[in-house]
Amino acid sequence: MTVRRVAARGVLALSAVLAMATGAGVGAAEPGGTDQCGHWTASTVSSGLGVLENLAFDGRGGLLLSEVPASGTDGALRRIRADGSREVLASAGSPGGIVVAGGTAYFTNGGSLISGVAGRADGVIQALDLDRGTVSTVARGLVAPNGLAVLPDGGFVVSRDVGTPTTLTRVAADGALTPLATDLTSTNGLAYDPNRRKLFVSTTFEPVSALAVLDLDRPDAAPVRITVPGYGPLNAADDLTVGPDGNVYLALNVAGRIVRVDPESGRSCTVAEDISFPTSARFGAGDGWDPRSLYVTSFAGTVIRLSPAA
């Protein structure tokens, strides 16, 4: 998301607070907190970056970031290494979700607030060849694409949480676009779990924060919805990942928390809180990155490491 989306989230969060204070338009809120997931220690890996929307490990010692400067334009796909070195890999106006598959980093681009509100189909999925450094476009015609999942058949799913409709789009390997699970709105974070053959989706601005589970082998089936405690806009659920333990780790942007959700039982707990606008979380992968630790991006331009107790 661009810095303009940060402002939009702030307005919505303030509106939600006022609505709850006056009792207008808001039902009974879920409890705001969850139990703690044991003790996790937070440390800063990198700071002083632009607005960070997403991250992925490239498997070759680098952490890839979707970065937009404070101006809200002229974003980039950036790589940082465990030794602190940084480099820009590709220019991107409004980069969003990143998924690394083999030697390619796929990412959404064109997810600006203006495009979303205006309904401009200028969004794309692009592919960065990590060996050659070249960028190609693999899908066009998307409106404000945000989250991204890569599917086993070579296709993709993208989310949209600005404008209307804020639903999912399935992108075939040949670039053809079709709506997916259209009753699921305000979609944002995406993660495909190959072990379960399920797609996990977060919703951002709905009154009830939901972690939705889609069976892509049965695309017409209604998604299973797991409620995440807290009022939706005050959570502002963002991106997510499936951990090596099979649990889903979800960034709650406005709430400033990372929560862990057991998709089998629906139970959740808090991994960390008091993080400034966290946007995405991934477990470490590659040289220099701890596979037991979660690495978290934020709108504040920081990358934070969350390490569990031994």
Side-chain angles (χ1 to χ4, degrees):
M1 288 193 182
T2 66
V3 73
R4 287 167 289 190
R5 283 199 190 178
V6 181
R9 284 190 175 178
V11 170
L12 284 171
L14 178 59
S15 298
V17 170
L18 293 174
M20 285 190 288
T22 62
V26 179
E30 293 276 336
T34 56
D35 295 334
Q36 295 294 320
C37 310
H39 180 69
W40 294 63
T41 302
S43 59
T44 300
V45 173
S46 190
S47 61
L49 297 159
V51 175
L52 300 179
E53 169 64 15
N54 210 259
L55 79 159
F57 289 92
D58 64 9
R60 52 193 70 192
L63 171 58
L64 308 183
L65 302 170
S66 294
E67 180 186 26
V68 179
S71 63
T73 59
D74 301 324
L77 206 66
R78 180 185 290 274
R79 176 192 280 143
I80 63 173
R81 296 189 181 277
D83 62 7
S85 60
R86 308 177 181 181
E87 61 180 320
V88 172
L89 299 182
S91 297
S94 300
I98 313 170
V99 179
V100 174
T104 303
Y106 296 96
F107 61 100
T108 60
N109 196 3
S112 70
L113 176 62
I114 292 175
S115 290
V117 172
R120 296 197 312 225
D122 55 359
V124 296
I125 300 173
Q126 295 186 289
L128 169 66
D129 187 312
L130 293 168
D131 294 317
R132 299 181 176 86
T134 56
V135 177
S136 59
T137 298
V138 296
R140 301 179 184 273
L142 298 162
V143 180
N146 187 359
L148 177 67
V150 178
L151 305 180
D153 63 1
F156 308 87
V157 176
V158 297
S159 65
R160 177 185 175 187
D161 68 342
V162 173
T164 184
T166 53
T167 52
L168 300 173
T169 299
R170 187 163 185 167
V171 184
D174 62 2
L177 310 179
T178 56
L180 176 66
T182 54
D183 59 336
L184 192 64
T185 57
S186 195
T187 61
N188 194 325
L190 298 176
Y192 178 74
D193 183 355
N195 294 321
R196 294 184 177 97
R197 293 183 58 83
K198 301 291 177 62
L199 179 72
F200 292 98
V201 186
S202 66
T203 63
T204 303
F205 299 127
E206 294 298 317
V208 176
S209 291
L211 174 65
V213 188
L214 278 67
D215 183 347
L216 295 183
D217 293 331
R218 301 170 59 234
D220 296 330
V224 175
R225 298 177 189 243
I226 301 170
T227 298
V228 178
Y231 181 61
L234 293 183
N235 278 337
D238 210 317
D239 199 35
L240 51 88
T241 191
V242 179
D245 57 2
N247 291 314
V248 175
Y249 292 77
L250 173 62
L252 301 183
N253 185 284
V254 171
R257 297 201 308 272
I258 306 297
V259 298
R260 183 178 73 200
V261 182
D262 181 340
E264 307 303 330
S265 68
R267 296 176 180 172
S268 62
C269 60
T270 297
V271 173
E273 51 193 345
D274 298 324
I275 300 174
S276 181
F277 295 105
T279 55
S280 187
R282 299 285 186 274
F283 281 90
D287 292 341
W289 305 100
D290 178 15
R292 296 177 61 249
S293 294
L294 269 176
Y295 294 84
V296 180
T297 51
S298 81
F299 282 158
T302 59
V303 178
I304 296 167
R305 175 182 171 180
L306 301 176
S307 303

